[in-house]
Amino acid sequence: MSIIKYSEKFKNSNRLLFTTPSHSQGEIIAPGSMKMLGKTVFENDFSEVDGFDNLANPEGIIKETEEKFAQIYGTRASFMLLNGSTSGMIAAMLATLRKYEKVLVARNCHISVFKGLVLSRAFPIWLLPKYNKEWGIFEPIEPEQVEEVLKKNRDIKVFIMTNPTYEGLRADIFKISQVCKRYGVILIVDEAHGALWNFEGSFGVPSVNLGADITFQSLHKTAGALNPSAIMHIGRSSVIDPQAVRNALNLITTTSPSYPLMMNIEATVDFLASGEGQRQLTTLKNNITDFIRAIKDSPSIMIYTGNNDPTKLLIRVASLSGPELSEILSEKFNVEDELSNDKSVLFLTGIGTTKKKLNRLLKVLKQIASDNITLTVHNNEQGDFKISEPRVKYSPGEIFNKKSVEVEQKYLIARVSMETVINYPPGIPILLPGEVIRKEHLPFIKDKETFKVLDNV
Ligand SMILES: Cc1ncc(COP(=O)(O)O)c(C=O)c1O
């Protein structure tokens, strides 16, 4: 039986619970909570009481619900994540990597990989994606790049990459997975931004269908679920033991999982897989197509249309830089974007993005483009940048909690960074803790009087 159905049944059973949670399914609710959340969420908030199964070792309704997901997604196993894709990445790394083992990581990864490196104590080899100067973004990782590194480093165990990239660019996962298989390397794909792909093929093809071993998707990002709901998958042909993933998830998951969140995940997936959900996705797809067409009709507005997920709208307006456009949108039009780089601005859409919302954005962009709005913002042009492969002296796990010391700029070269530096451009880490500081890094930290480095004593 599904979690939702069981909850409905249980509420009619009149069972007397002397268990947590202490609000007793909404008998007492703080007025502020009642006002903001309503009663229903409390009525559905249970502990792992009679029949509610156990997320750490599911044998009943949770098992059945996750098996339903595995069928819907065509996977060997699927897991609910109650702490976002972040927890998916950490669990994937803990399940596949041991201390000192080498992991190849595409540098345009999310901070969750860094957390996974700290916890797994694995050693990172970084792969730099190519930079697209025109749009200020990183290109997808290419299979040849992966092969080149794997050929030279036969002891790499796992390759971690993001697909789609934050801006929606899609890599050739099939070819990359073939390369990984040839070298006996496990492929983990962070698909946080691809939660609609299983249900709308024109947005993208799920990596798990193309040979990835482990993937996860944030259902809150594009699929309409509450923060921070996500789902994790193991590919049908993967050698990964689902129990190893479950064990890793148990290490980092609360022992009081939220049933309202689990029900929300179940309802979201059920909806996406339903006819009504399909209709909603078709509407979204059509609205985005209309939006893109309208943008293309405007000579001074450009939208990125390469091999990308069209729900991520990457836009440039006339001669404005990304930060200039972003500031005008925010200050003059009350519009907030997801992020900007030196060239373009990213707008995220998802299942809840209505035609009305898109039309408002279109109108605003057209107005900015035609009004020639005078700028009161700073010119954020940062010019060219150069970064080469990081020199990792200590892995993030080795360096974590080590003593640091503040050092002046002029003494930084050859010291080991204890700080993370991420600048736009290029929008990926320039320095991470444990990496050796070189001359090329200094322009990125020139505004800091002192910088934290490893205390050598
Ligand atoms: C590429 C990528 N991966 C992972 C995450 C983490 O996702 P979550 O917020 O679901 O933990 C994010 C969040 O912004 C992301 O952009």
Side-chain angles (χ1 to χ4, degrees):
M1 188 183 283
S2 88
I3 302 171
I4 293 173
K5 285 204 180 110
Y6 185 75
S7 179
E8 289 301 327
K9 186 173 152 216
F10 187 85
K11 279 184 283 187
N12 293 326
S13 72
N14 203 23
R15 192 171 174 86
L16 197 57
L17 297 179
F18 284 92
T19 65
T20 61
S22 53
H23 55 69
S24 292
Q25 286 65 54
E27 287 296 339
I28 176 88
I29 303 175
S33 300
M34 184 67 176
K35 188 171 161 213
M36 300 305 288
L37 301 175
K39 193 162 187 212
T40 318
V41 68
F42 289 88
E43 286 171 345
N44 286 291
D45 189 32
F46 296 98
S47 291
E48 291 162 317
V49 294
D50 182 45
F52 269 97
D53 207 0
N54 178 352
L55 183 65
N57 182 25
E59 291 177 333
I61 57 170
I62 293 179
K63 182 167 183 265
E64 284 171 38
T65 304
E66 290 188 331
E67 281 172 357
K68 173 174 75 176
F69 295 157
Q71 265 191 3
I72 291 175
Y73 287 89
T75 60
R76 181 159 170 216
S78 293
F79 305 89
M80 286 183 281
L81 299 176
L82 306 182
N83 195 13
S85 288
T86 300
S87 60
M89 176 59 82
I90 295 171
M93 293 176 73
L94 291 176
T96 54
L97 287 161
R98 295 204 196 98
K99 198 171 169 181
Y100 303 134
E101 280 184 342
K102 282 192 189 159
V103 50
L104 178 64
V105 187
R107 189 77 168 179
N108 58 336
C109 65
H110 182 252
I111 185 81
S112 49
V113 177
F114 185 78
K115 298 177 187 194
L117 285 170
V118 171
L119 292 170
S120 68
R121 310 245 152 185
F123 194 91
I125 312 276
W126 294 101
L127 186 59
L128 291 180
K130 292 181 183 154
Y131 188 63
N132 177 329
K133 251 177 141 180
E134 191 191 343
W135 287 89
I137 57 174
F138 282 93
E139 295 285 350
I141 292 290
E142 292 164 5
E144 296 74 21
Q145 286 178 281
V146 183
E147 177 135 35
E148 203 183 316
V149 186
L150 295 186
K151 209 185 269 174
K152 286 190 211 139
N153 299 269
R154 297 295 176 125
D155 50 352
I156 287 176
K157 281 285 182 35
V158 172
F159 173 45
I160 298 176
M161 63 176 288
T162 309
N163 187 63
T165 62
Y166 209 151
E167 294 83 7
L169 276 62
R170 300 178 295 217
D172 188 340
I173 295 294
F174 179 71
K175 276 199 184 150
I176 291 174
S177 78
Q178 294 290 308
V179 171
C180 288
K181 282 183 177 56
R182 256 201 312 284
Y183 289 85
V185 167
I186 292 162
L187 175 60
I188 298 175
V189 179
D190 174 348
E191 210 167 74
H193 290 273
L196 295 178
W197 288 9
N198 191 58
F199 308 96
E200 177 47 62
S202 67
F203 294 165
V205 179
S207 306
V208 86
N209 296 353
L210 298 170
D213 289 285
I214 305 182
T215 71
F216 34 84
Q217 303 153 337
S218 301
L219 291 166
H220 61 95
K221 285 193 194 299
T222 49
L226 287 170
N227 274 336
S229 321
I231 189 160
M232 183 165 185
H233 308 291
I234 299 182
R236 264 222 175 112
S237 60
S238 174
V239 292
I240 304 293
D241 176 7
Q243 190 56 45
V245 173
R246 173 79 68 203
N247 293 346
L249 277 171
N250 288 346
L251 283 179
I252 55 168
T253 302
T254 172
T255 52
S256 307
S258 161
Y259 277 84
L261 258 196
M262 285 192 263
M263 288 178 210
N264 181 239
I265 291 176
E266 184 184 2
T268 300
V269 174
D270 283 350
F271 175 64
L272 292 170
S274 70
E276 204 188 326
Q278 286 298 302
R279 279 191 290 283
Q280 192 60 44
L281 288 176
T282 305
T283 304
L284 174 67
K285 182 177 74 170
N286 293 340
N287 290 343
I288 290 174
T289 307
D290 290 347
F291 177 85
I292 293 174
R293 200 175 294 130
I295 291 273
K296 282 186 165 168
D297 286 344
S298 307
S300 42
I301 314 176
M302 283 151 285
I303 183 157
Y304 183 93
T305 48
N307 179 18
N308 65 322
D309 176 337
T311 63
K312 288 131 193 45
L313 309 170
L314 189 66
I315 289 178
R316 304 177 61 178
V317 171
S319 56
L320 297 179
S321 71
E324 286 168 342
L325 174 57
S326 179
E327 188 156 347
I328 293 170
L329 283 163
S330 175
E331 299 304 315
K332 302 208 165 166
F333 294 97
N334 206 17
V335 174
E336 183 153 343
D337 55 69
E338 174 73 6
L339 61 83
S340 61
N341 60 53
D342 61 330
K343 297 286 162 42
S344 51
V345 174
L346 178 67
F347 303 86
L348 292 187
T349 71
I351 198 151
T353 308
T354 56
K355 194 167 186 73
K356 194 170 155 208
K357 214 172 147 182
L358 286 169
N359 281 345
R360 185 172 153 203
L361 177 62
L362 184 64
K363 200 168 151 210
V364 165
L365 289 171
K366 281 188 169 173
Q367 196 175 328
I368 293 174
S370 68
D371 272 8
N372 217 355
I373 284 177
T374 13
L375 298 176
T376 50
V377 292
H378 315 289
N379 186 354
N380 270 7
E381 191 60 63
Q382 295 183 40
D384 272 350
F385 66 90
K386 178 184 172 295
I387 44 164
S388 32
E389 250 158 64
R391 204 171 299 148
V392 182
K393 178 98 184 261
Y394 300 100
S395 70
E398 284 172 295
I399 201 89
F400 191 71
N401 272 347
K402 283 256 160 66
K403 204 163 167 240
S404 66
V405 60
E406 295 272 354
V407 165
E408 281 176 50
Q409 284 271 340
K410 57 185 172 196
Y411 302 121
L412 284 179
I413 289 179
R415 298 296 298 263
V416 173
S417 173
M418 287 296 277
E419 293 195 35
T420 298
V421 179
I422 302 179
N423 287 39
Y424 286 88
I428 56 172
I430 304 296
L431 275 171
L432 288 173
E435 294 176 358
V436 178
I437 302 172
R438 292 180 297 204
K439 201 171 160 199
E440 70 186 54
H441 299 130
L442 298 184
F444 294 100
I445 48 179
K446 64 179 186 309
D447 296 339
K448 292 176 175 254
E449 260 175 38
T450 59
F451 191 80
K452 278 196 187 72
V453 296
L454 181 67
D455 190 355
N456 283 342
V457 288

